[in-house]
Amino acid sequence: MSIAYSPDGHYIACGGIDGIVCIFDLATGKLLHTLEGHAMPIRSLTFSPDSQLLTTCSDDTSIKIYDVQHANLIGTLSGHGSFVLCVDFCPDNTHFATSSSDRKVKVWDAGMRRCVHTFSDHKDQVWGVAYNDNGSKLVSVSDDKDIIIYDCPI
């Protein structure tokens, strides 16, 4: 259901309908890690800019943060009231954003593992969220047919 390249070019991560994440070594094509933790399909995943963390989101309403090198789950975050549909890491390597069927966009502090801001501007489920290349803007898109651009940092 989802796939991402690590920014350092070493890994590919795939998230499945079974809630399992597979991390592959790009040079060899071999499976390095199988990460369990989600109870439902993984909608989106993204590596941190330094390729050390992998953040996933799922229909189980949770967000999970994994240590890529050691394949450890380092945090499970909750706060959305429905399916979490998209996740994107900020280029500052300290924040990431999520969007959800609950019509909200949330910005999270990756180190503190907590939500630092919630945007509630959409009137329908929010399918996508993305930062620009310097992290000064965050954009979201929804079934309400609106694209909203937010100023960052929050």
Side-chain angles (χ1 to χ4, degrees), residues 10-82:
H10 291 107
Y11 310 107
I12 293 176
C14 302
I17 198 162
D18 56 3
I20 294 174
V21 175
C22 295
I23 299 178
F24 296 89
D25 181 296
L26 194 55
T28 65
K30 293 190 181 198
L31 176 65
L32 294 177
H33 305 297
T34 300
L35 309 174
E36 297 183 14
H38 284 291
M40 295 178 75
I42 296 168
R43 292 287 183 154
S44 178
L45 45 76
T46 187
F47 286 93
S48 59
D50 66 4
S51 300
Q52 298 300 304
L53 302 176
L54 179 70
T55 305
T56 63
C57 65
S58 169
D59 285 359
D60 65 12
T61 75
S62 72
I63 300 114
K64 299 206 179 275
I65 305 172
Y66 297 92
D67 173 333
V68 173
Q69 184 178 5
H70 300 101
N72 293 330
L73 175 64
I74 60 172
T76 299
L77 309 176
S78 59
H80 281 291
S82 188

Side-chain angles (χ1 to χ4, degrees), residues 23-150:
I23 299 178
F24 296 89
D25 181 296
L26 194 55
T28 65
K30 293 190 181 198
L31 176 65
L32 294 177
H33 305 297
T34 300
L35 309 174
E36 297 183 14
H38 284 291
M40 295 178 75
I42 296 168
R43 292 287 183 154
S44 178
L45 45 76
T46 187
F47 286 93
S48 59
D50 66 4
S51 300
Q52 298 300 304
L53 302 176
L54 179 70
T55 305
T56 63
C57 65
S58 169
D59 285 359
D60 65 12
T61 75
S62 72
I63 300 114
K64 299 206 179 275
I65 305 172
Y66 297 92
D67 173 333
V68 173
Q69 184 178 5
H70 300 101
N72 293 330
L73 175 64
I74 60 172
T76 299
L77 309 176
S78 59
H80 281 291
S82 188
F83 302 160
V84 187
L85 301 173
C86 189
V87 60
D88 192 40
F89 235 102
C90 183
D92 72 3
N93 207 56
T94 63
H95 294 88
F96 62 89
T98 56
S99 64
S100 171
S101 292
D102 67 5
R103 304 183 313 254
K104 298 193 177 15
V105 172
K106 292 184 176 283
V107 177
W108 305 82
D109 182 304
M112 304 268 303
R113 294 193 277 284
R114 66 179 183 89
C115 180
V116 294
H117 193 80
T118 300
F119 295 103
S120 302
D121 302 304
H122 285 290
K123 296 170 189 68
D124 207 338
Q125 57 191 355
V126 187
W127 283 98
V129 64
Y131 283 96
N132 67 347
D133 18 334
N134 68 8
S136 65
K137 302 284 183 188
L138 178 66
V139 64
S140 62
V141 63
S142 167
D143 273 348
D144 63 13
K145 298 184 175 77
D146 284 340
I147 295 171
I148 299 177
I149 302 171
Y150 306 101

